[in-house]
Amino acid sequence: PHIELRYTPDDALAEIQPWLHENWIAKPQGNGDLGDRMHRAFEANSPAILIGTDCPTIEPTDLEAATAALQSHDLVLGPAADGGYWLIGLRAPCPALFEGIEWSTETVLEATVTKAKAADLSVHWLRELRDVDSLADWENFQLKYSK
């Protein structure tokens, strides 16, 4: 019922507008690294689930599972095969999860889990998926799913 599409760069609303459905909201991500931008989204909308646009195999059931998990867990993670995550959900903002992370590396998920343990957050895991970060990822996706 509540979809907020956050985009970057901040002046890209005209490009995003055609994607919006009725009752969807579009807002710029704002300044800072990926962690700053994600934390800002959680501050404005908690509980919330964030996904990127680079994981084409996400199913509605994944979002339903994440929503259900936030009823009894502080944090929901959808691990990505490359060491990151394709989904993160939080019941309440937790700035520590996004500080000091080397974004776009194979250590993102591990570092996030370490920070979650330090913050004493209960974690629910979703299935592992592959995201599309490179041409090779895209070609592999097409080979697997274009049949």
Side-chain angles (χ1 to χ4, degrees), residues 45-56:
N45 304 289
S46 284
I49 297 166
L50 302 182
I51 60 170
T53 57
D54 63 349
C55 190

Side-chain angles (χ1 to χ4, degrees), residues 21-58:
H21 293 258
E22 187 176 338
N23 298 321
W24 285 20
I25 298 167
K27 291 185 178 178
Q29 291 182 13
N31 295 327
D33 68 13
L34 180 60
D36 295 331
R37 298 186 318 251
M38 287 194 295
H39 173 63
R40 203 168 20 256
F42 281 116
E43 271 189 325
N45 304 289
S46 284
I49 297 166
L50 302 182
I51 60 170
T53 57
D54 63 349
C55 190
T57 56
I58 297 173

